[in-house]
Amino acid sequence: MKVIKQNVGIDVSKETLAVCIVMMYENLSVKVKGSKTFANNKSGFKQMLTWVLSKRTPEICLSFTMEPTGVYYENLAYFLYAQNEIIHVVLPIRAKRYAESLPGDSKTDKLDAKALGRMGVERKLDVWQIETPIYKDIKQLTRERDALIKERTNVKNRLHALLNSANPYKKSLRRLKGLIKYLDKQIKAIEGDIQELVISDEWLSKKVEQITSIPGVGLLTAVIVIAETNGFALIKSIKQLVSYAGLDVKIRESGAWKGKSKISKKGNVHIRKALYFPAYTNMKHSNNYLGLYSRIFAKKQKSLIAATATQKKLLGLIYTLWKNETVYIENNQQQKKVA
């Protein structure tokens, strides 16, 4: 029977790649052509591709589907891109929902790869695009800054504990204080690097200026959202962007029973963190955002849902200003076009 679609599902972990080739035939039946595990390194990539090409149907288009597992998928995606292969990188929540629709409740790397393989032949998926270099650099810098801030917080907590202990050792205090100063210096240097990158690109600089016209949204918030979405390259709607950030609220209700509502948190944690404080700042300086929070809180009596709604609105506004090349005007539903 003739093959009409073929896809390679890859479950990526730190050390290995669980690979499964799935074929769809003209009667729409789906079958596994082969499964195998390879090392998650350059040698493993080459062995995997050689194996896949030996199993594929030559005259039919081939694609590869994977999830964005931390940073561990990136080298593989870049390798396949360099080989001119078609790549789909699907959000974990979307892959999970698809896998849950399949029969069986077991979960292994091999089964996850099989589910991704089936998803690639049964669903129409966006083609992954390589990151724009400036966005990739900014993302690396903002994540480096975030890691250093976490480290500085830990050191400050250690210093606080030591200062409140009996007879703290003076040299230990000196070292902790010196480490905090060093981390402050490194964080400031990273922020300078980010600013230099933005200034170096006139088009990006203009976009950032438009986004930072929103009250409470500064340079770092703007560039984190831009870099983490690769300039909204594959984002087609605000709803999709909200899901990508993991800000979609899961409401659990059935008849009179009402469970605890919570955000999915299945998306990009860096975007959520970047929006947290700007959303609350916006509520202090914008009647629109304060009014939204108050209305939803009055209706739901749940601060999480109300706060998440303000973050979602803020994220949607950032996306709108980016797409329409406009600036924010308070109490004006139509943003002004930038000349």
Side-chain angles (χ1 to χ4, degrees):
M1 192 175 294
K2 184 179 178 182
V3 174
I4 58 172
K5 289 186 75 175
Q6 55 186 346
N7 179 70
V8 181
I10 306 176
D11 186 74
V12 181
S13 67
K14 182 179 179 181
E15 302 292 340
T16 61
L17 307 171
V19 182
C20 183
I21 306 175
V22 177
M23 306 287 192
M24 176 178 279
Y25 297 87
E26 56 187 349
N27 66 350
L28 301 185
S29 63
V30 175
K31 294 182 180 179
V32 173
K33 185 70 178 288
S35 297
K36 199 169 182 179
T37 300
F38 300 90
N40 189 358
N41 55 40
K42 288 185 178 180
S43 177
F45 301 162
K46 292 177 181 178
Q47 293 172 16
M48 182 271 293
L49 187 57
T50 299
W51 178 76
V52 167
L53 294 179
S54 71
K55 297 283 187 180
R56 69 173 293 181
T57 301
E59 65 273 16
I60 303 299
C61 181
L62 177 71
S63 61
F64 295 78
T65 303
M66 66 191 80
E67 296 177 64
T69 312
V71 296
Y72 302 124
Y73 82 100
E74 290 184 354
N75 285 332
L76 173 61
Y78 273 76
F79 170 81
L80 292 172
Y81 184 88
Q83 307 302 315
N84 297 315
E85 300 294 345
I86 298 172
I87 308 156
H88 307 296
V89 178
V90 296
L91 290 176
I93 185 62
R94 187 177 179 188
K96 180 182 178 182
R97 287 172 180 166
Y98 175 81
E100 288 174 345
S101 71
L102 300 175
D105 56 3
S106 298
K107 179 175 173 59
T108 65
D109 292 346
K110 184 177 178 179
L111 288 174
D112 287 344
K114 180 181 177 181
L116 289 167
R118 287 195 60 169
M119 188 178 187
V121 295
E122 293 182 353
R123 298 288 188 269
K124 185 177 181 180
L125 304 176
D126 290 326
V127 176
W128 179 79
Q129 298 178 13
I130 197 167
E131 287 182 290
T132 305
I134 192 169
Y135 298 150
K136 192 173 190 302
D137 290 343
I138 291 174
K139 183 170 74 173
Q140 182 177 329
L141 287 169
T142 55
R143 290 187 178 188
E144 181 187 2
R145 175 181 176 273
D146 185 55
L148 290 181
I149 288 174
K150 287 181 183 177
E151 186 175 348
R152 183 179 64 183
T153 299
N154 290 334
V155 176
K156 284 183 176 181
N157 289 338
R158 286 162 53 197
L159 177 61
H160 177 76
L162 198 58
L163 285 170
N164 287 276
S165 65
N167 302 316
Y169 190 59
K170 291 183 179 180
K171 287 186 178 180
S172 294
L173 290 173
R174 194 180 306 126
R175 278 190 289 268
L176 288 175
K177 290 177 181 178
L179 183 53
I180 291 171
K181 287 182 179 179
Y182 172 77
L183 291 171
D184 284 338
K185 185 177 179 181
Q186 292 298 304
I187 292 168
K188 189 174 181 180
I190 292 170
E191 291 171 351
D193 290 343
I194 293 170
Q195 193 165 21
E196 285 181 12
L197 278 173
V198 173
I199 292 173
S200 71
D201 189 302
E202 185 177 350
W203 185 83
L204 177 59
S205 183
K206 181 181 177 181
K207 288 285 193 179
V208 169
E209 184 179 353
Q210 292 163 8
I211 291 172
T212 53
S213 67
I214 304 170
V217 176
L219 171 68
L220 286 170
T221 300
V223 297
I224 288 171
V225 174
I226 292 169
E228 292 291 339
T229 58
N230 192 29
F232 305 99
L234 295 178
I235 303 298
K236 296 183 174 64
S237 68
I238 292 175
K239 182 179 180 181
Q240 183 188 9
L241 178 59
V242 167
S243 178
Y244 179 78
L247 285 169
D248 42 333
V249 176
K250 303 302 177 185
I251 300 175
R252 302 170 63 202
E253 296 181 356
S254 178
W257 178 81
K258 296 184 183 295
K260 186 177 180 180
S261 299
K262 57 183 180 180
I263 61 174
S264 71
K265 293 187 179 180
K266 295 295 184 180
N268 190 295
V269 65
H270 303 284
I271 294 177
R272 294 200 303 275
K273 288 176 65 176
L275 292 173
Y276 185 81
F277 287 112
Y280 279 96
T281 301
N282 236 313
M283 283 190 279
K284 292 181 181 179
H285 298 284
S286 170
N287 291 329
N288 290 337
Y289 282 80
L290 179 59
L292 173 67
Y293 179 90
S294 300
R295 287 194 306 273
I296 295 179
F297 182 78
K299 182 178 180 181
K300 298 290 186 180
Q301 293 298 306
K302 294 178 180 177
S303 59
L304 171 65
I305 295 178
T308 302
T310 61
Q311 293 176 54
K312 287 163 62 176
K313 182 175 180 180
L314 180 58
L315 182 58
L317 180 57
I318 290 172
Y319 176 71
T320 300
L321 299 191
W322 172 276
K323 287 292 185 180
N324 295 343
E325 297 190 357
T326 55
V327 296
Y328 177 79
I329 300 176
E330 177 73 8
N331 298 322
N332 190 337
Q333 295 301 315
Q334 297 295 322
Q335 278 72 44
K336 184 179 178 182
K337 182 76 176 180
V338 175

